[in-house]
Amino acid sequence: MKIVITGSLGNISKPLTEELVQKGHTVTVISSKSERKSAIEALGAKAAIGTMQDVDFLSETFKGADAVYLMETLDHSTFTDPDIDIIAEIAAIGRNYKQAIENSGVKRIVLLSSVGAHTNKGNGNLVMHYNVENILKELPEEVHIRFIRPVGFFTNIYRSLKTIKEKGVIISNYGGDQKEPWVSPLDIAAAIAEEIEKPFAGREVRYIASDEVSPNEIAKVLGESIGNPDLKWIEISDEELFNGMLAFGMNARIAKGLTEMQAAQGSGALYEDFYRHKPILGKVKLADFAKHFALLYNN
């Protein structure tokens, strides 16, 4: 098949591209950075250099594809831009994708969404995924869509490297022994490849998770992996978390959304629909992630 992949060579798009190329598909990878061209081509894929904000570029790149994998992202610098409205920016990308799909005539779409996309209330910044799902649902019925909803990424824990190194703690506004689902980008990539390759019609949701572990279990396993058995997951108030992100220079709207999202993780509200449609867990477990975490931590 002819397949278009968005997301450049990110944690999902790179292993996804590798798998699809290995299986003999013709893969085009969209990247906004021309310096990624050679790395994309080294994987056996074609590079299409352009942005998610350019509808004409997207339309031309999607043309003739048997399937397109979509994800939305913004540059990390936006998190400290006080003026940006991340929800509006992501919705604009969703509308660009919708227009490009209509212009190009592509009929099979796999969208990277998120746990929490079942609602527009109480999920913080994850409302962006609810919005994009609903934008794409406006497409004609002959456009078939798989909405992929992973839970929180193990790799998000890398954001705590600084406090782990300096203070021996992971800090959030929830904690304790209540298990929650986590996922590896590798399991997400494998699931997306599976969805792209199999025939599908209509519009369905697929949740993806790799393991179910509690904050205290995460601290214990990661602590052992880095030689710090005293590593702790510390729970602070919503206000303390929010103010800490502001002190770091984060956009206030984004900080508020992250605080609300993590509170919903702690209460379990974020996972209500996930547990109604709980998937078979993937291959990558916390112990597997801990090995990679230790390598990064030590280097």
Side-chain angles (χ1 to χ4, degrees), residues 1 108 144 146 194-201:
M1 292 191 293
R108 296 175 71 241
H144 308 298
R146 283 292 177 272
E194 180 183 306
E195 292 294 338
I196 286 174
E197 288 199 300
K198 72 183 184 184
F200 67 80

Side-chain angles (χ1 to χ4, degrees), residues 160 163-165 167-171 228 231-234:
S160 297
T163 61
I164 291 171
K165 279 182 174 288
K167 301 179 180 179
V169 295
I170 300 169
I171 301 171
N228 180 6
L231 179 65
K232 295 289 188 294
W233 183 300
I234 303 296

